[in-house]
Amino acid sequence: MQADLERVLFDQATIVRRLDEIAAQISSDYRDRELTVIAILNGSLIFMADLLRRIPLPLRLDCLSVASYLGGLQTSGEVIFRQIALPDVAGRHILLLDDILDSGTTISAIREKLQTASPKSIRVCVLLRKLKERKQPADAHYIGFDIADEFVVGYGLDYCERYRNLPCIGVLKKELVAS
Ligand code: IMP
Ligand code: MG
């Protein structure tokens, strides 16, 4: 699998070192507030598991399943909620976890939807943020790493549902990506 990468951007040791820092920041910020984490499936699963075990606070965990990429490289622009019942967010401090902030469509659609259910606060935490212009005014409060605008896989991120279980994050070889 790793042979399919053109380049490794972050190895496992680098990722978990950064997770230690983000977890410490989140733990400090939410020490007096009850935290509800909402992980966006499937991309944030590996990140979520490693991050949450570094946060020694009482917290609730919910998941939300959305689709916007439909398996390819480009976002379809439309976000489909696969789950009918939304997690209970009323009066709660919500931390949304996602793998990557790309166009921002996913995060802003989810934020908007959850906002209608009267949470006390919403913050966003992403493992990766692509440095690019965004049409959607979406940003994250906690960011693992900023990266160039390239297609990456591993550590939860997929290409056509593959590579999620790679322990590192890397750029896929161009010849493996259908254009
Ligand atoms: P956005 O709505 O364009 O911000 O895209 C968010 C979703 O698209 C992420 O949660 C990922 O599932 C997927 N995505 C965006 N960029 C990449 C990438 O480089 N590799 C793998 N998945 C990506
Ligand atoms: Mg995906």
Side-chain angles (χ1 to χ4, degrees):
M1 248 190 335
Q2 198 150 335
D4 289 357
L5 298 182
E6 180 186 289
R7 182 155 58 84
V8 172
L9 294 181
F10 309 105
D11 63 17
Q12 198 169 12
T14 308
I15 296 169
V16 297
R17 245 184 282 125
R18 182 68 186 123
L19 294 194
D20 282 337
E21 294 171 1
I22 302 174
Q25 186 67 55
I26 293 171
S27 304
S28 159
D29 292 353
Y30 287 90
R31 64 191 176 279
D32 301 320
R33 289 181 287 170
E34 208 191 316
L35 179 59
T36 298
V37 174
I38 299 182
I40 302 164
L41 301 176
N42 298 327
S44 73
L45 272 177
I46 312 262
F47 169 45
M48 179 268 285
D50 281 345
L51 180 73
L52 294 192
R53 283 177 291 176
R54 290 174 162 75
I55 300 178
L57 296 177
L59 58 79
R60 292 170 54 119
L61 172 63
D62 271 303
C63 293
L64 201 56
S65 178
V66 300
S68 66
Y69 259 53
L70 308 173
L73 288 171
Q74 291 286 312
T75 178
S76 64
E78 187 194 356
V79 174
I80 301 148
F81 288 77
R82 290 211 191 100
Q83 198 171 276
I84 292 155
L86 282 180
D88 184 16
V89 302
R92 298 182 190 280
H93 293 290
I94 305 298
L95 183 64
L96 282 174
L97 288 190
D98 205 359
D99 51 0
I100 189 165
L101 183 64
D102 183 18
S103 70
T105 310
T106 308
I107 285 298
S108 55
I110 292 171
R111 261 194 108 114
E112 221 171 273
K113 183 103 169 180
L114 295 184
Q115 206 74 60
T116 63
S118 314
K120 265 202 192 125
S121 67
I122 301 183
R123 280 184 180 179
V124 174
C125 174
V126 291
L127 177 62
L128 302 171
R129 177 175 66 177
K130 286 190 190 173
L131 293 172
K132 66 196 282 184
E133 293 248 334
R134 290 187 184 81
K135 287 188 214 117
Q136 312 281 342
D139 210 354
H141 202 96
Y142 306 98
I143 296 145
F145 306 97
D146 277 318
I147 61 167
D149 190 8
E150 294 182 295
F151 196 81
V152 295
V153 295
Y155 200 75
L157 291 125
D158 73 304
Y159 174 59
C160 297
E161 294 304 326
R162 288 188 63 201
Y163 307 106
R164 291 197 198 274
N165 55 327
L166 257 181
C168 62
I169 297 168
V171 179
L172 207 52
K173 282 185 177 158
K174 299 279 179 294
E175 63 264 30
L176 295 172
V177 181
S179 48

